[in-house]
Amino acid sequence: MDENIIERVRELRKRIERYNYFYYAKNNSIISDYEYDKLVQELEEYEERYPELKDASSPSQIVGSSLKDSKFTKVAHKKPMLSLSNTYNIKDVEDFNSRVKKILKSDENVDYVLELKLDGLSISLHYESGALVQGLTRGDGVVGEDVTENIMQIESIPKFLREEVDLEVRGEIVLPLSEFIKLNQQREENGEEPFANPRNAASGTLRQLDPEIVKSRNLDCYFYYLADSEKHGIHRHNESLKYIENLGFKTTGIYDVCGSIEELEARIGYWESHRGNLDYETDGMVIKVDEIGLYESLGYTTKSPRWAIAYKFPAKQVSTTLLDVSYQVGRMGTVTPVAELEPVEVSGSVVRRASLHNFDEIKRKDIRIGDRVFIEKAAEIIPQVVKVVKEARTGEEREIVEPENCPVCGSTLERKSGEVALKCLNERCPAKLQRRIEYFVSRDAMNIDGLGSKIVERFIEIGRLRDVADVYDLHLYREELENLDKMGKKSVDNLVKSIEESKKREYSKTLYALGIPFVGKYLANVLANESKNIDLLMEMGEEELLEIEGVGQKVAQSVCQFFKDEENLVTIERLKNYGVNFSAKEVAKGEDSLKFQGKTFLATGKLNHYTRSGIKELIEKLGGENLSGVNKKLDYLIVGEKAGSKLKKAQELGSVTILTEEEFMDMIS
């Protein structure tokens, strides 16, 4: 045999094993799915063409990756958790259909179920007499990790079923896109490296040794498979999904039964163009034979069933030229390199800038100014550089040099041992001040509408804003505000009113607005509930804080350190003098504050009277719960203009009460 072929097979196996290790063990994708799948496909083709090269230890024959670095208990699966063969070519779907008919020796159409392929972390759950007893990751397909304690922290996973049955069900743990954005914003503000995508974030979260971290990140789970369905009297896959929904499991609700290849292709095309409306990342569609009794006849390969295939959507990556690198300074002083790009359209919008994350990432990817690079929108939202086309280099490209001084204030930058973040430690850096003020006035914090970054930047320049508390003196500078571009008397009136209204914000929002490192919305709410007012919180020591559920060593130290800082204490005192609320409101018994207790809501479409976060906040104030998608747990869907697919799905379910914005307002009044 040609020695070049043998060497290529060795190289492919080595590369794939390395990518598997990073993906499964380190929760880090260091190659795009498309490129990875192409390498696996090439390896499989060689092994098919030259059977003497086949090896049971080849990554083409193994599901997942080694568990040698796992800190969790290993448990064997009762039935292997196989992966699906996949394709990016619709013709391969047609070939799959032909193979199914050939194996079954039938010319008749086969019914298929088409489901969304979620990009998350596979999980197997075991129930005894209707109670959740164990949760296992896929692991290497034969043996998984026991993550039961962490699974218990995921709200959408039922701990008790509606029937006392014994069963195994499999699903996909995901981080909703809305939560992914919030989590990365928080990590960047805290000087931590952001997650590259929701899948990495979900996988990394589930493998945390501290269950409280899992709880705080609001993971979600959708189920897609009932093991041994026929033991439960179920003979079709779509019926098994309805069955587990009735038991209390969450599914995507999208499982179309298609009787022909034409139907399949039409629905695949529909979801390829409409998946952007979903709050979770999906990278394709899964096609399964509906009749479960045919599975044994169709059989299995070493790692995949022959009765299912995954069609993956084309990767949304485009190439452009990296023209230069600029730097952003966050409120905690973290300096982030940003790629300035030759404008290019990605997923429907023109992208001119993309995140480079940090300088270690730049070195790892060997990114240079002048490079031809691939960019994509992580979670369809955040542009990032994913790959350099080194073959296109001319020799004129320039290395990206790590700055020694802050690009805004000129102070010497520092990096703590073991950290990737490069930081400006100058507390009077104008960029840090601007980010702190922008954070303070943001919607989830003090919710001061009309105080945009341009105004903040200008008023820092002229010395009107030296601290977040100075926001409450802006009414003294009406004339200067009115003279700003796109401002006028009415805009200034609205801004001043919004500033005044912010003084009434709940204590938890004010606490969040202070920007205490590692204290996001969840922990701000926890600390507010435990302390009742900021004076009591400032008196708490580390030991007392550690007794609070959800507060770890890092958070406790950060809170204590924050309240030891003299400048922070002066700011808090000034805010108190301006009338900003730093106390939790005591709710009187009988008050109509929990009228939505036990009810679930979801708002969709364009709302005229509320912002999306505003209506969610109101629902929570009244004791209700906000859901991220339409399912049988949803009680009320509030619809605005262009409500779209969520309205259609709610109508199909029939159990959801659909409200206009005005009808919702009538409910709360």
Side-chain angles (χ1 to χ4, degrees):
M1 185 184 295
D2 190 334
E3 187 63 35
N4 290 332
I5 292 174
I6 297 173
E7 185 55 38
R8 178 58 179 165
V9 168
R10 284 183 189 143
E11 182 193 349
L12 286 169
R13 287 174 177 169
K14 186 176 180 180
R15 287 177 66 185
I16 292 167
E17 284 168 355
R18 180 169 180 265
Y19 298 143
N20 282 346
Y21 172 74
F22 275 93
Y23 185 83
Y24 291 106
K26 297 296 183 182
N27 311 308
N28 184 14
S29 307
I30 62 172
I31 187 175
S32 74
D33 284 357
Y34 180 76
E35 291 170 296
Y36 174 85
D37 291 338
K38 284 294 181 187
L39 293 175
V40 173
Q41 184 181 11
E42 184 184 352
L43 176 59
E44 288 174 342
E45 286 172 355
Y46 274 122
E47 292 175 341
E48 190 66 31
R49 200 180 312 153
Y50 305 102
E52 60 269 37
L53 291 177
K54 283 192 175 181
D55 187 332
S57 64
S58 170
S60 67
Q61 306 298 309
I62 296 171
V63 177
S65 182
S66 167
L67 298 176
K68 64 180 181 180
D69 292 332
S70 176
K71 298 172 184 175
F72 294 92
T73 303
K74 285 79 170 175
V75 178
H77 292 294
K78 292 179 181 177
K79 295 182 74 170
M81 286 188 76
L82 302 177
S83 64
L84 294 177
S85 58
N86 57 59
T87 180
Y88 292 85
N89 188 339
I90 200 71
K91 187 180 182 305
D92 289 340
V93 175
E94 296 170 2
D95 292 343
F96 164 74
N97 178 51
S98 298
R99 283 197 304 275
V100 167
K101 287 184 175 183
K102 185 177 179 180
I103 294 172
L104 296 177
K105 299 177 181 177
S106 171
D107 292 328
E108 293 183 12
N109 283 342
V110 176
D111 283 341
Y112 295 103
V113 177
L114 185 69
E115 302 169 70
L116 290 170
K117 182 179 181 298
L118 304 190
D119 195 10
L121 179 73
S122 295
I123 197 76
S124 168
L125 302 185
H126 294 266
Y127 289 79
E128 293 179 3
S129 299
L132 176 59
V133 295
Q134 191 173 59
L136 305 176
T137 65
R138 183 197 299 275
D140 62 8
V142 177
V143 175
E145 302 157 289
D146 189 332
V147 290
T148 308
E149 191 173 358
N150 285 349
I151 286 295
M152 292 292 185
Q153 310 306 317
I154 301 175
E155 195 171 325
S156 57
I157 290 180
K159 313 309 180 287
F160 297 93
L161 304 181
R162 292 169 185 160
E163 295 178 17
E164 295 183 1
V165 290
D166 297 346
L167 56 78
E168 176 190 356
V169 66
R170 294 175 179 179
E172 196 84 355
I173 291 175
V174 298
L175 183 68
L177 297 181
S178 51
E179 295 296 334
F180 171 69
I181 295 167
K182 292 176 193 173
L183 176 59
N184 265 358
Q185 286 173 343
Q186 190 68 47
R187 289 177 71 84
E188 286 175 344
E189 287 159 3
N190 291 337
E192 299 174 287
E193 186 174 355
F195 286 110
N197 53 59
R199 187 267 164 199
N200 288 6
S203 183
T205 297
L206 193 68
R207 291 191 173 96
Q208 292 287 328
L209 296 180
D210 183 355
E212 288 302 323
I213 295 176
V214 182
K215 184 176 182 179
S216 71
R217 290 186 182 170
N218 299 321
L219 293 176
D220 206 347
C221 191
Y222 294 87
F223 294 88
Y224 57 78
Y225 179 72
L226 172 66
D228 299 318
S229 297
E230 291 181 307
K231 288 183 180 178
H232 301 277
I234 297 166
H235 304 285
R236 287 193 170 268
H237 178 59
N238 82 85
E239 292 170 357
S240 73
L241 295 175
K242 292 172 186 173
Y243 174 69
I244 63 175
E245 280 182 341
N246 290 331
L247 288 176
F249 291 104
K250 187 176 184 178
T251 73
T252 64
I254 299 161
Y255 40 92
D256 302 334
V257 180
C258 301
S260 69
I261 195 70
E262 292 78 18
E263 262 189 273
L264 272 177
E265 291 180 7
R267 294 306 291 167
I268 287 171
Y270 173 84
W271 282 112
E272 189 168 346
S273 60
H274 285 77
R275 61 186 173 128
N277 299 327
L278 303 169
D279 192 34
Y280 44 80
E281 197 164 63
T282 176
D283 59 354
M285 307 296 293
V286 175
I287 302 159
K288 297 175 185 170
V289 171
D290 191 27
E291 191 175 337
I292 296 167
L294 300 177
Y295 289 5
E296 286 304 316
S297 301
L298 291 166
Y300 303 80
T301 66
T302 308
K303 60 186 288 189
S304 306
R306 289 196 176 95
W307 41 264
I309 190 172
Y311 171 81
K312 299 185 83 171
F313 297 132
K316 293 195 175 180
Q317 292 184 357
V318 296
S319 62
T320 187
T321 302
L322 196 160
L323 303 175
D324 204 352
V325 174
S326 60
Y327 304 100
Q328 289 181 340
V329 183
R331 68 182 177 90
M332 306 300 292
T334 301
V335 177
T336 303
V338 178
E340 302 292 341
L341 305 166
E342 185 178 294
V344 63
E345 186 172 318
V346 187
S347 302
S349 62
V350 176
V351 172
R352 292 178 172 83
R353 312 178 85 206
S355 174
L356 291 170
H357 298 303
N358 56 61
F359 296 98
D360 285 3
E361 184 79 352
I362 289 171
K363 289 176 185 175
R364 186 179 70 78
K365 292 180 178 176
D366 189 19
I367 301 170
R368 303 178 188 181
I369 295 169
D371 269 336
R372 193 73 184 167
V373 295
F374 276 93
I375 64 166
E376 70 179 14
K377 286 187 179 178
E380 297 295 315
I381 296 165
I382 306 164
Q384 60 180 357
V385 174
V386 292
K387 180 185 175 185
V388 175
V389 187
K390 294 181 181 178
E391 296 81 358
R393 283 181 173 165
T394 64
E396 296 182 5
E397 294 77 17
R398 293 177 287 127
E399 287 192 15
I400 298 169
V401 180
E402 189 173 300
E404 296 180 357
N405 301 97
C406 174
V408 177
C409 71
S411 300
T412 302
L413 298 176
E414 295 186 25
R415 178 189 278 115
K416 290 183 180 178
S417 176
E419 292 186 3
V420 296
L422 195 63
K423 288 190 174 184
C424 170
L425 303 183
N426 175 17
E427 287 305 315
R428 299 194 178 279
C429 175
K432 290 173 68 173
L433 174 59
Q434 180 170 346
R435 300 289 177 264
R436 281 200 297 270
I437 293 173
E438 288 171 352
Y439 183 86
F440 182 81
V441 305
S442 65
R443 186 175 292 171
D444 290 331
M446 301 309 289
N447 193 27
I448 297 176
D449 193 28
L451 192 55
S453 59
K454 294 292 184 186
I455 299 175
V456 174
E457 184 178 7
R458 176 60 183 153
F459 272 61
I460 289 174
E461 283 176 4
I462 63 177
R464 300 300 192 200
L465 288 173
R466 296 186 178 89
D467 180 63
V468 295
D470 291 334
V471 167
Y472 294 97
D473 278 335
L474 285 179
H475 66 281
L476 301 174
Y477 311 112
R478 289 190 60 101
E479 187 175 343
E480 289 168 82
L481 285 166
E482 288 176 16
N483 288 333
L484 291 174
D485 187 34
K486 296 183 180 179
M487 291 291 281
K489 185 177 183 306
K490 188 174 180 181
S491 295
V492 174
D493 285 343
N494 290 336
L495 173 57
V496 171
K497 182 181 177 183
S498 185
I499 291 171
E500 192 61 29
E501 284 292 319
S502 73
K503 296 176 183 179
K504 302 172 188 173
R505 290 286 272 173
E506 303 97 298
Y507 170 35
S508 63
K509 304 293 184 185
T510 312
L511 198 55
Y512 171 72
L514 291 177
I516 303 170
F518 308 113
V519 177
K521 287 192 296 181
Y522 170 77
L523 281 174
N525 197 48
V526 168
L527 293 172
N529 288 335
E530 290 293 329
S531 62
K532 302 305 178 187
N533 64 61
I534 199 162
D535 294 318
L536 292 174
L537 181 61
M538 288 192 290
E539 290 173 6
M540 290 185 181
E542 275 188 41
E543 288 185 11
E544 195 173 353
L545 286 166
L546 286 169
E547 291 176 4
I548 299 172
E549 187 176 352
V551 175
Q553 190 73 45
K554 206 172 187 180
V555 173
Q557 289 174 348
S558 178
V559 172
C560 289
Q561 193 63 42
F562 185 86
F563 291 128
K564 285 177 184 175
D565 189 295
E566 193 61 38
E567 288 191 16
N568 292 335
L569 297 179
V570 170
T571 297
I572 291 166
E573 195 59 35
R574 287 186 65 204
L575 290 171
K576 283 182 181 179
N577 292 336
Y578 284 120
V580 173
N581 177 44
F582 278 105
S583 298
K585 180 185 175 186
E586 294 291 335
V587 179
K589 286 184 179 179
E591 189 174 335
D592 196 24
S593 61
L594 298 178
K595 68 189 301 178
F596 289 165
Q597 184 75 46
K599 300 296 181 184
T600 56
F601 292 80
L602 173 64
T604 186
K606 182 183 177 184
L607 303 176
N608 295 317
H609 301 284
Y610 302 96
T611 61
R612 192 55 55 84
S613 62
I615 199 167
K616 285 182 176 180
E617 191 175 310
L618 178 58
I619 287 164
E620 289 172 1
K621 274 186 187 177
L622 295 172
E625 178 187 356
N626 290 293
L627 298 187
S628 60
V630 176
N631 55 50
K632 290 187 177 180
K633 291 183 180 179
L634 183 65
D635 295 313
Y636 296 99
L637 180 70
I638 305 160
V639 296
E641 298 171 20
K642 299 179 181 177
S645 59
K646 288 187 174 71
L647 173 58
K648 183 181 177 184
K649 186 176 175 185
Q651 290 169 333
E652 289 172 353
L653 277 176
S655 58
V656 179
T657 301
I658 297 169
L659 301 172
T660 64
E661 202 173 348
E662 288 71 24
E663 287 170 333
F664 173 74
M665 292 167 72
D666 288 341
M667 279 182 70
I668 62 175
S669 64

